[in-house]
Structures are given as C-alpha cells and as structure tokens.
C-alpha cells in the first residue's frame, strides 16, 4: 500500500469512526448513563474525533508485521496492541482536555480501577472488544472499501464535505472551549462538559422550554451565566 492509498484509508476510517462513535455515545448516554438525549463531545456536529483517530489507528496497527509462526498468536498480539493503543489514545485525549483546557469530557471516577477518572478496566475491555470486531470483521474488507471509495467520487465528495464542516466546527468549538477554560481557571475547577450540558438542559426543561440537541449551549443566556450556574450548583 502506497502513501496515497494509506491516507485515503485513514481519511475514510476517520470519517466512519467519528460518525459511528458519535452514534454509540449518544445511545450510551440515553440508555445507560445520563438517561437523556445529550450531544456528546466538545464538537457540535455528529462526530467524535477520538473514535476517528482510534479506527484509523487500529488500521495502522493491523499493518504491523507479526510472525510468531502461529496465526492465532499473531491475532492475539495484534488485538492486544489495538486494545492498548485505544486505551492510550483515550488517556492522552482526556489528559489534554483536563490539564490543558480544564474540561472533563467523560468521567470514570465511579468505575473500579479507574486512573484519574480518564480510563478504567471496563472501558479498556470495551476497546478490546472493538479491536476484536475490527480485526475479524472490518479489516479484511478495508482494501476493498478503499477501492470502492476511490472509484465512487460522489462518496469522496461526501467525505470531503465532512472534513470541511468538521474544521469549521472545530474552530467554533475551540472558541467555546477557550471561554470554558478561562472560567475554570479563574474558579480553579475542572468543568465536566457533560454535566454542564445536563444542567443547561434541565434548567430549560424546568421552565418548559425545549433544549437544543445540536446546540446544547443555546439557552437564551450567555455561556458565562451558564458556567456560573454550573459552579453555583457545585457540579
């Protein structure tokens, strides 16, 4: 596989992983954690970069030559590397936001064996299961998918459009994150983005207003007011 094909695969998988990951997180919050429809992550659109980078990373690991003389052990080693890599990506991403942006995107503090509330054995197991699924179900068809992608420029346009919208959204979301970081730094706290969104949603529903799923910070009050209300509640 040449560099152009690899970049096409990476772009394709980043797109698919980001969108599917967002769908999984929305359903998880609705039925398992918050019990509400909440737009996950710090971006506005329907995508989570963590999953995009993760899926692209899994593909990169699948290209690592492993030859123990046993196909079974080769698979075990690659899958273990995939699971470890996904956990490391999750830890680094969480640490960057907590230390650099004073924002907590997820919180495993109530999970057994967690480290700083960023990673925990349960979700590392989930990453391992995703790695198994990728290795046996997705990876064998990746090259065929890329060939189809290259030969169907209409879909290539969709992926290109995705990245265009993604980078505009990224700029907008970084601006919001910078404001949250300033507030959190002044108050010497770390803001849980999910609890902030829940707080805004609950406040709107208490006065019989419909909260925006796509734009969770749109509530008729400024972001500073929303953050102050969040801090006053001791979230």
């Amino acid at each position: 596989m040449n560099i152009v094909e690899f970049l096409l695969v990476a772009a394709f998988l980043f797109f698919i992983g980001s969108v599917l990951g967002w769908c999984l997180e929305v359903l998880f919050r609705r039925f398992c954690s918050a019990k509400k429809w909440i737009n996950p992550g710090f971006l506005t659109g329907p995508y989570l970069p963590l999953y995009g980078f993760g899926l692209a990373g899994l593909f990169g690991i699948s290209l690592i030559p492993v030859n123990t003389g046993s196909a079974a052990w080769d698979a075990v080693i690659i899958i273990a590397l995939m699971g470890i890599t996904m956990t490391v990506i999750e830890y680094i991403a969480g640490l960057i936001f907590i230390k650099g942006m004073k924002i907590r995107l997820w919180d495993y503090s109530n999970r057994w064996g967690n480290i700083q509330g960023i990673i925990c054995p349960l979700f590392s197991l989930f990453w391992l299961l995703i790695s198994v699924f990728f290795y046996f179900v997705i990876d064998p068809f990746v090259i065929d998918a890329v060939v189809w992608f290259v030969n169907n420029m209409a879909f290539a346009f969709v992926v290109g459009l995705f990245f265009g919208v993604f980078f505009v959204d990224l700029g907008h979301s970084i601006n919001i994150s910078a404001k949250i970081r300033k507030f959190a730094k002044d108050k010497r706290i770390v803001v849980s983005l999910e609890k902030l969104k829940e707080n805004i949603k609950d406040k709107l529903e208490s006065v019989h207003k419909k909260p925006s799923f796509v734009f969770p910070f749109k509530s008729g009050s400024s972001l500073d007011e929303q953050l102050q209300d969040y801090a006053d509640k001791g979230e």
Side-chain angles (χ1 to χ4, degrees), residues 119-210:
I119 57 174
C120 68
L122 176 62
F123 280 83
S124 292
L125 176 61
F126 288 161
W127 290 129
L128 190 63
L129 294 176
I130 289 174
S131 300
V132 171
F133 182 79
F134 177 87
Y135 185 85
F136 289 107
V137 179
I138 299 177
D139 190 52
F141 303 101
V142 165
I143 301 301
D144 290 338
V146 173
V147 171
W148 179 88
F149 172 70
V150 172
N151 293 327
N152 288 268
M153 295 309 295
F155 188 74
F157 173 78
V158 171
V159 176
L161 182 63
F162 161 81
F163 278 101
V165 174
F166 172 81
F167 283 116
V168 171
D169 190 344
L170 182 63
H172 169 71
S173 300
I174 287 176
N175 183 48
I176 292 176
S177 298
K179 293 178 181 179
I180 296 175
R181 179 181 183 276
K182 183 179 183 305
F183 178 88
K185 197 171 182 181
D186 291 342
K187 297 292 184 179
R188 296 183 179 181
I189 61 173
V190 173
V191 175
S192 169
L193 199 61
E194 185 166 320
K195 288 185 178 179
L196 174 60
K197 291 178 181 178
E198 286 183 36
N199 188 56
I200 296 170
K201 184 181 177 71
D202 291 342
K203 189 173 181 179
L204 286 172
E205 289 176 342
S206 69
V207 294
H208 307 292
K209 290 184 179 180
K210 186 177 181 180

Side-chain angles (χ1 to χ4, degrees), residues 39-185:
N39 190 351
F42 82 106
L43 295 172
T44 299
Y47 29 72
L48 287 177
L50 174 64
Y51 285 86
F53 283 119
L55 194 57
L58 293 183
F59 173 70
I61 293 171
S62 72
L63 298 178
I64 297 175
V66 175
N67 186 12
T68 63
S70 168
W73 276 111
D74 290 349
V76 168
I77 292 172
I78 291 296
I79 290 170
L81 284 174
M82 288 178 174
I84 292 169
T85 299
M86 289 298 295
T87 297
V88 169
I89 290 175
E90 183 179 37
Y91 182 75
I92 291 174
L95 202 60
I96 287 173
F97 272 89
I98 292 174
K99 298 297 184 182
M101 301 300 293
K102 303 299 180 182
I103 295 173
R104 184 179 288 277
L105 294 179
W106 60 85
D107 190 0
Y108 301 153
S109 297
N110 61 341
R111 303 286 182 179
W112 175 82
N114 77 86
I115 298 177
Q116 297 173 268
I118 302 174
I119 57 174
C120 68
L122 176 62
F123 280 83
S124 292
L125 176 61
F126 288 161
W127 290 129
L128 190 63
L129 294 176
I130 289 174
S131 300
V132 171
F133 182 79
F134 177 87
Y135 185 85
F136 289 107
V137 179
I138 299 177
D139 190 52
F141 303 101
V142 165
I143 301 301
D144 290 338
V146 173
V147 171
W148 179 88
F149 172 70
V150 172
N151 293 327
N152 288 268
M153 295 309 295
F155 188 74
F157 173 78
V158 171
V159 176
L161 182 63
F162 161 81
F163 278 101
V165 174
F166 172 81
F167 283 116
V168 171
D169 190 344
L170 182 63
H172 169 71
S173 300
I174 287 176
N175 183 48
I176 292 176
S177 298
K179 293 178 181 179
I180 296 175
R181 179 181 183 276
K182 183 179 183 305
F183 178 88
K185 197 171 182 181

